[in-house]
Amino acid sequence: MANSVLSDTAAWDTAAELRGVTKCFSQRQNTQNVLKNLFHPTYRTVTALDQVDLCIRRGEFVAYAGPNGAGKSTTFKLLCGMLSPNRGTLRTLGLDPVRQRIALMKQLGILFGNRSELWWDHPVCTSFEWKKQVWDIPEEVYQRQLHLACEMLDLKPFWNTFARELSLGQRMRADLGLLLLHDPALILLDEPTLGLDVLAKRQMIDTLKTLNRDFGATILVTSHDLDDLTEMAQRLVMLAQGSIVFDGAPDGLRAIAGDSRTLTLTCADPAPQVPGATLSHSEGERHTYLFDHQALSTSNLLQAIGQLPQVTDVELGRAPIEQVIAGLYQKWKQPAAPGDPK
Amino acid sequence: MAGNWKALFRLWGVYARLDLHWLTQDTKYCVLTIFSDLLSNLSSVLGVFLLAVRFGGVGGLSADEVLFMLGFYNIVSGLFNLFFLGNNVGNISRRIGRGQLDHMLIQPLPLTVQLLSEGFLPFSGSGVLLGGIAVTVIAAVRLSLPFSLPWLGLLLLMAFSALFIWVGLAYLVSVSAFYHPAGSEEISSVAIDALATLGGYPLGGLSGWLQALLVVVFPAGCLAWLPAMILLGRSPFGAAALLPLLALFICGIAAVLFQKGMKHYGKFGSQRYRSMGHRS
């Protein structure tokens, strides 16, 4: 971190910047041999991030995606100074996250989906008062942000309820409201929609979009739900095995993955063979297939289905982005051939 | 530096309000807490005091001197409860072992300010201190001890030195939780309880080397026995300097090792995170 002097010009319009950042962890490997575990334990080095370069401009809404263990949370922890990198340099809002943690935390908001900053045995309102004092938030900013949080997240119905008695959706709303109180310039959200029902998730997504669009907040968000991410963000950064494998607009991902589509047939018989399409799964009388739209046109497909008299209904659609990504992750797990684009 | 002091006083105010709200959330709860505090106070003093009365003193101290020592012990443990009992601040190995230091790292405050403020419980945690003051005053009156300013200053110095020896030792052993989080999660409470168990006994009857061991190596004797001997004028005057020096030494070592532990935390991260409330 001593050499983490990035250009000053970048500080103004760059919210976060990682240059050649590598972060490794060691994992203890215990065997059935008790004596070996006791006196000569072995460790395995896991590279969570491998020479990652990433720049996030102010005002961007970036989705950060990847399978479990890809290094998403590690990136967040590095950006807020909880961890220090093994190699490389990084800056968050122009500051060194480890050395300038206190100054950074006045401008940064971070929320981990499985953690809460609310005071468990106190009403929600108490946590907000607590944060005002701990962050030393000026009264004017506090009132403005509190009004904003209450309006967008509808906090009033459970304002005086003990945090321990909130539903998961209410807790996430309260936590997000709490995060907004000091008007952070950069918001890091790790799995904010984790475990939320459809309605709560919708509200969370709408709030984040409003924060970015109307208030210019820079947001970096992770989620396992790629459909949510692609709906929210203008830019998608994908990690696999500690490296960035895709960085661009969500539509660009489909271009890499091909134009995969779904075909769902309803018929009483077992799933029929459809030339050019592969059966993905069946649920009762509904059978879903995947096909590449560039290789098989819709007219040719419908012509083929017309030869199947037992079919009573036909549905066509785009393949869910998760299915597309799953295929890509499998591909990325293979060693890359020289010259393969990332 | 001035900013940190300002923040510390501001935060004591916040945590005092939180504590008051917590204590007064429910009438039954409030009454039960105060009643159980009274019982706990009485029982912490009565055991050793009744022994002293029955045998006309213990370990070279008269019954009233034992009472004074027990009052002083309750002042020290009361100060511990007042400043460090809340939110696992005294039991810091729990926060380290459970990977919950992250909650502190996202606050725009130095860790020291957070650790000195977050455990403040002036309402629910002051029962033992008030009881300790009452017992000490009663014993001091019975012993005709001088209530002069220098004597009271010495009493405060001894009390805060004993407090920081206690806290410093808890933090010193808690450092192991950075390296072995699962095994050391409860190590601070083991250290705190071990000192508390031995801290309320007069050590006068023990051999010299055992006394030295219990003052310097495992400083249970510094919580009440040695300070009481100094305040009663039963120890050489130089002994009064030992306690603050020992407190500084233990806290200094703990601070250095804790910082090393924090570096380890930053390098290797937390091996585990337990989502159960990080303040309970």
Side-chain angles (χ1 to χ4, degrees), chain A residues 160-178:
Chain A
N160 292 312
T161 306
F162 281 62
R164 61 171 185 250
E165 290 167 11
L166 299 179
S167 68
L168 181 62
Q170 288 172 330
R171 185 189 60 75
M172 288 304 295
R173 274 151 64 194
D175 257 315
L176 184 60
L178 196 66

Side-chain angles (χ1 to χ4, degrees), chain A residues 19-32:
Chain A
R19 284 191 193 171
V21 168
T22 297
K23 182 68 196 170
C24 303
F25 295 105
S26 64
Q27 283 180 345
R28 194 177 164 134
Q29 305 292 300
N30 267 21
T31 62
Q32 293 300 309

Side-chain angles (χ1 to χ4, degrees), chain B residues 68 72 136 145-146 150-156 158-159 224-235:
Chain B
F68 177 78
F72 182 86
T136 307
L145 290 174
W151 188 82
L152 286 174
L154 185 65
L155 188 140
L156 278 178
M158 295 295 103
W225 175 72
L226 184 62
M229 295 292 277
I230 292 164
L231 288 162
L232 291 167
R234 303 276 297 272
S235 275

Side-chain angles (χ1 to χ4, degrees), chain A residues 31-47:
Chain A
T31 62
Q32 293 300 309
N33 186 336
V34 178
L35 288 176
K36 188 174 184 292
N37 295 339
L38 200 58
F39 298 111
H40 198 268
T42 51
Y43 291 87
R44 183 181 69 166
T45 301
V46 177
T47 307

Side-chain angles (χ1 to χ4, degrees), chain B residues 3-272:
Chain B
N4 285 348
W5 280 105
K6 207 176 146 191
L8 188 59
F9 283 107
R10 189 179 71 239
L11 294 177
W12 273 336
V14 176
Y15 291 111
R17 274 201 297 280
L18 280 173
D19 185 35
L20 181 65
H21 284 303
W22 189 72
L23 184 66
T24 56
Q25 60 182 283
D26 177 281
T27 320
K28 275 185 202 161
Y29 174 80
C30 182
V31 171
L32 275 174
T33 303
I34 293 168
F35 184 67
S36 56
D37 246 16
L38 274 173
L39 279 181
S40 147
N41 257 321
L42 273 174
S43 60
S44 69
V45 172
L46 274 179
V48 179
F49 180 64
L50 288 176
L51 278 175
V53 171
R54 171 68 184 78
F55 296 106
V58 176
L61 296 178
S62 71
D64 284 338
E65 285 171 335
V66 168
L67 189 65
F68 177 78
M69 190 202 81
L70 291 171
F72 182 86
Y73 170 73
N74 272 7
I75 288 178
V76 176
S77 57
L79 285 172
F80 185 89
N81 290 359
L82 182 66
F83 289 104
F84 298 102
L85 186 67
N87 305 315
N88 281 335
V89 171
N91 279 314
I92 193 68
S93 63
R94 285 184 186 160
R95 281 196 171 189
I96 302 167
R98 294 171 187 169
Q100 294 167 344
L101 276 183
D102 293 355
H103 291 281
M104 304 183 89
L105 293 173
I106 65 167
Q107 293 180 30
L109 290 166
L111 215 54
T112 326
V113 173
Q114 293 181 52
L115 292 171
L116 285 173
S117 61
E118 218 171 298
F120 189 51
L121 301 176
F123 296 99
S124 64
S126 59
V128 177
L129 178 64
L130 294 175
I133 291 171
V135 173
T136 307
V137 168
I138 291 168
V141 169
R142 289 169 67 97
L143 290 164
S144 307
L145 290 174
F147 280 98
S148 63
L149 269 181
W151 188 82
L152 286 174
L154 185 65
L155 188 140
L156 278 178
L157 180 69
M158 295 295 103
F160 276 96
S161 298
L163 171 68
F164 281 105
I165 287 171
W166 206 353
V167 175
L169 207 75
Y171 272 65
L172 192 62
V173 297
S174 293
V175 168
S176 62
F178 283 114
Y179 307 94
H180 304 286
S184 302
E185 185 183 319
E186 283 299 329
I187 199 162
S188 55
S189 51
V190 172
I192 290 166
D193 292 347
L195 278 176
T197 308
L198 280 172
Y201 287 95
L203 305 181
L206 301 176
S207 60
W209 67 268
L210 208 53
Q211 281 181 9
L213 196 77
L214 286 171
V215 167
V216 181
V217 181
F218 184 71
C222 294
L223 294 197
W225 175 72
L226 184 62
M229 295 292 277
I230 292 164
L231 288 162
L232 291 167
R234 303 276 297 272
S235 275
F237 183 73
L242 177 71
L243 253 71
L245 287 176
L246 195 62
L248 274 175
F249 178 72
I250 292 175
C251 287
I253 299 254
V256 170
L257 293 181
F258 198 87
Q259 275 185 340
K260 274 184 179 284
M262 286 300 293
K263 279 189 183 156
H264 183 273
Y265 194 83
K267 197 171 170 190
F268 295 97
S270 167
Q271 305 294 317
R272 60 208 285 257

